[in-house]
Amino acid sequence: MRILLTNDDGIHAEGLVSLERIARTISDDIWICAPEYEQSGASRSLTLAEPLRVRRLDDRRFATTGTPTDCVMLAVTELMGTDRPDLVLSGVNRGANLAEDVTMSGTVAGAIEGMALGIPSIALSQMSWPTPGEEMPDQPVFEPAEHFGPGIVRRLVEIGWPSDVVMNVNFPSRALDQIREVEVTRQTFRDLHVRQAVQRTDPRGETYYWMGFRRELSAPAAGTDLRAIYDGRISVTPLHIDLTHQETVHRMRAVLGGAPPKA
């Protein structure tokens, strides 16, 4: 199996080292194309207004000035030659990609680009802080992903999934002996707003803002990605990019259609 790895934390990220270890339990035919610099929150952005530079680190390892989407597209269509990958793995992201955050995630976007190119793709993310009220486990941050990731990736490949779906896998920040279950979940939406802009002052006295997240728990329902991670389970969520809300389509067809309404 030929496997392409990417991420949004950059070519030197610790999580990419963990991802390569996971991939090498499955195959020796590993290719890597990742951003030169961190691209967290890049979502599915493409670099259109400036040229992309590619730095070749070895025969199968590349760094680009682009986004995760750029990296996967370049690797598959240019850098890997005529032999396309059989699988794209994106991550392991430092921090979970859950709920509405998946729409902003460069990690998930790397997997989506693989899917768009017709390649089965999996995004992997590691919760990097404990849930409120719990202590950080005394182990490396990416140990849960490295320990459980190979088995989950192998099993997903064995099972298979539809060609218009990507698999979004999140590992909780728990000691290994406290992670006992995998749950197939649905994406949810937080019942509170956790993103924030922190105002600061630079050495010249000018105001600037640093974007970030408040570490507050929402109250997710059972069966959701958030609830699984809160409860110490590995979350596996099938995602697709059809954003159409079918219930509203059916409801509105009864009241809006035909000739355009008059002003």
Side-chain angles (χ1 to χ4, degrees):
M1 176 174 284
R2 172 164 288 199
I3 305 176
L4 170 64
L5 311 184
T6 194
N7 72 354
D8 71 355
D9 288 330
I11 190 68
H12 300 296
E14 183 182 356
L16 187 59
V17 176
S18 293
L19 186 66
E20 185 172 1
R21 290 177 182 147
I22 292 169
R24 289 198 180 280
T25 68
I26 301 169
S27 173
D28 290 327
D29 192 358
I30 305 299
W31 294 68
I32 297 173
C33 187
E36 189 78 70
Y37 311 105
E38 184 174 350
Q39 295 279 354
S40 295
S43 188
R44 292 204 68 213
S45 59
L46 285 167
T47 303
L48 299 175
E50 58 186 50
L52 286 173
R53 308 290 182 184
V54 177
R55 185 164 63 97
R56 188 166 197 150
L57 303 176
D58 61 37
D59 287 346
R60 300 182 182 185
R61 186 182 302 263
F62 304 86
T64 85
T65 55
T67 66
T69 299
D70 294 327
C71 288
V72 174
M73 186 271 291
L74 275 174
V76 173
T77 63
E78 296 289 335
L79 304 178
M80 297 179 70
T82 58
D83 294 327
R84 290 160 55 90
D86 303 298
L87 179 69
V88 171
L89 299 179
S90 184
V92 177
N93 192 67
R94 190 181 185 95
N97 280 301
L98 303 162
E100 67 271 24
D101 296 347
V102 301
T103 63
M104 298 179 289
S105 167
T107 302
V108 174
I112 289 175
E113 182 64 13
M115 177 270 291
L117 292 168
I119 304 161
S121 301
I122 305 172
L124 301 99
S125 301
Q126 173 65 62
M127 190 79 168
S128 57
W129 58 81
T131 53
E134 297 180 351
E135 295 183 358
M136 191 72 180
D138 184 20
Q139 64 189 25
V141 169
F142 292 97
E143 188 163 345
E146 285 195 36
H147 184 82
F148 296 104
I152 290 176
V153 171
R154 282 180 180 274
R155 185 61 179 141
L156 285 172
V157 171
E158 290 172 1
I159 297 168
W161 58 90
S163 61
D164 61 346
V165 169
V166 300
M167 306 307 296
N168 185 36
V169 181
N170 283 270
F171 300 91
S173 180
R174 296 281 183 96
L176 297 183
D177 60 2
Q178 295 179 8
I179 302 174
R180 300 185 179 92
E181 295 183 17
V182 177
E183 183 178 359
V184 178
T185 60
R186 63 179 175 84
Q187 180 195 356
T188 189
F189 194 88
R190 290 182 179 86
D191 57 355
L192 52 83
H193 185 79
V194 297
R195 292 189 299 279
Q196 64 179 343
V198 178
Q199 180 177 318
R200 296 180 180 178
T201 304
D202 69 19
R204 297 184 179 183
E206 299 293 332
T207 297
Y208 70 96
Y209 295 89
W210 195 280
M211 305 301 290
F213 297 85
R214 293 189 303 274
R215 295 179 182 177
E216 297 181 22
L217 291 178
S218 59
T224 62
D225 51 6
L226 277 176
R227 174 51 60 195
I229 290 296
Y230 287 178
D231 293 343
R233 294 187 290 274
I234 298 167
S235 171
V236 178
T237 311
L239 300 174
H240 63 104
I241 58 174
D242 180 359
L243 303 180
T244 308
H245 191 256
Q246 295 293 342
E247 182 181 342
T248 301
V249 168
H250 297 318
R251 179 178 62 83
M252 296 195 72
R253 277 177 176 165
V255 295
L256 180 65
K262 295 179 180 180

